[in-house]
Amino acid sequence: MLNIAIFISGRGSNFSAILDAVLIGNLKACILCVHSNKPGAAGLELARRNNIPIIDICSANFESVMDYERALCKHLALFPIDLIVLAGYMRVLRGPILDLYAGRIVNIHPSLLPAFKGLNAQRQALEAGVSESGCTVHFVDKTLDGGQIIKQAKVPVYDTDTEATLSARILEAEHELYPRVLNNLSRVLPER
Ligand code: GRF
């Protein structure tokens, strides 16, 4: 059984897909806690409804990223976490968390990495005129969207696509890919 912490910043649709997979037994994992760096994140409501402990620390209240991460680590230490799952978490991790959970943090990004790193990946794909895009689950390290790629899913890009239609198509692929990858990781991740 994989013990996971989920980090979000917004609506939490990937969190929802992961939770659904846990509830129907497709993902052998336990969601120990959810952290949002934004107090009003919509996804927190889902955590509340499902009685999942919330680590509610606002990153904007800290002087530095290091201070924020140190505070967050203290809360995370209360849980026996095997894997931290970034799901629409909009902060770049830089310090203590990366050291404490090295090789145990994953993210999903809405492009076929290494293409279109950073913000607005779907818009970048449209502007580049590619005929195919998708999403990538990867390990998180000190580089921006540059950690080891675990798995990707492709979707077509149509001439008629807008940022909204492409984002929706990629998001659907994300919801399918992320729980599947997590389930595979649960089998291979070494015990802590
Ligand atoms: C997703 O597109 C994910 O790839 C990106 O941020 C978005 C989050 O969506 N990192 P949600 O909060 O999971 O709905």
Side-chain angles (χ1 to χ4, degrees):
M1 182 74 80
L2 186 70
N3 286 326
I4 60 181
I6 297 188
F7 286 13
I8 62 170
S9 299
R11 70 191 156 183
S13 72
N14 276 289
F15 163 36
S16 179
I18 292 165
L19 178 60
D20 284 348
V22 169
L23 294 177
I24 63 175
N26 281 351
L27 168 55
K28 308 274 176 292
C30 180
I31 303 175
L32 297 184
C33 58
V34 173
H35 164 60
S36 170
N37 68 307
K38 294 200 176 159
L44 287 177
E45 195 42 46
L46 184 65
R48 271 186 213 107
R49 281 206 306 273
N50 287 276
N51 296 316
I52 300 171
I54 291 171
I55 301 176
D56 209 354
I57 296 179
C58 177
S59 53
N61 288 345
F62 291 84
E63 296 255 311
S64 71
V65 182
M66 295 297 166
D67 288 348
Y68 158 64
E69 285 193 22
R70 268 192 285 269
L72 182 51
C73 281
K74 281 189 190 152
H75 288 264
L76 292 171
L78 301 173
F79 301 92
I81 296 164
D82 297 314
L83 188 71
I84 294 177
V85 176
L86 310 187
Y89 174 73
M90 301 306 283
R91 293 293 304 219
V92 178
L93 297 174
R94 293 185 192 283
I97 293 193
L98 291 179
D99 296 334
L100 266 174
Y101 295 92
R104 292 183 178 272
I105 309 178
V106 292
N107 181 41
I108 191 158
H109 183 78
S111 77
L112 297 175
L113 290 171
F116 315 129
K117 295 176 177 177
L119 292 174
N120 305 315
Q122 301 92 335
R123 193 187 308 162
Q124 292 184 52
L126 286 176
E127 284 171 0
V130 293
S131 59
E132 196 172 60
S133 189
C135 50
T136 303
V137 179
H138 63 94
F139 284 108
V140 173
D141 61 15
K142 288 195 160 105
T143 62
L144 175 68
D145 298 327
Q148 187 197 333
I149 291 172
I150 302 169
K151 193 96 185 151
Q152 299 184 309
K154 292 178 178 171
V155 305
V157 179
Y158 302 118
D159 291 344
T160 49
D161 266 331
T162 62
E163 203 177 330
T165 57
L166 179 58
S167 299
R169 194 174 308 118
I170 293 175
L171 196 63
E172 208 180 311
E174 292 181 34
H175 295 164
E176 197 275 323
L177 180 70
Y178 217 176
R180 193 155 49 86
V181 169
L182 294 177
N183 201 43
N184 289 341
L185 276 178
S186 73
R187 295 196 209 109
V188 297
L189 210 66
E191 285 192 7
R192 291 214 87 177

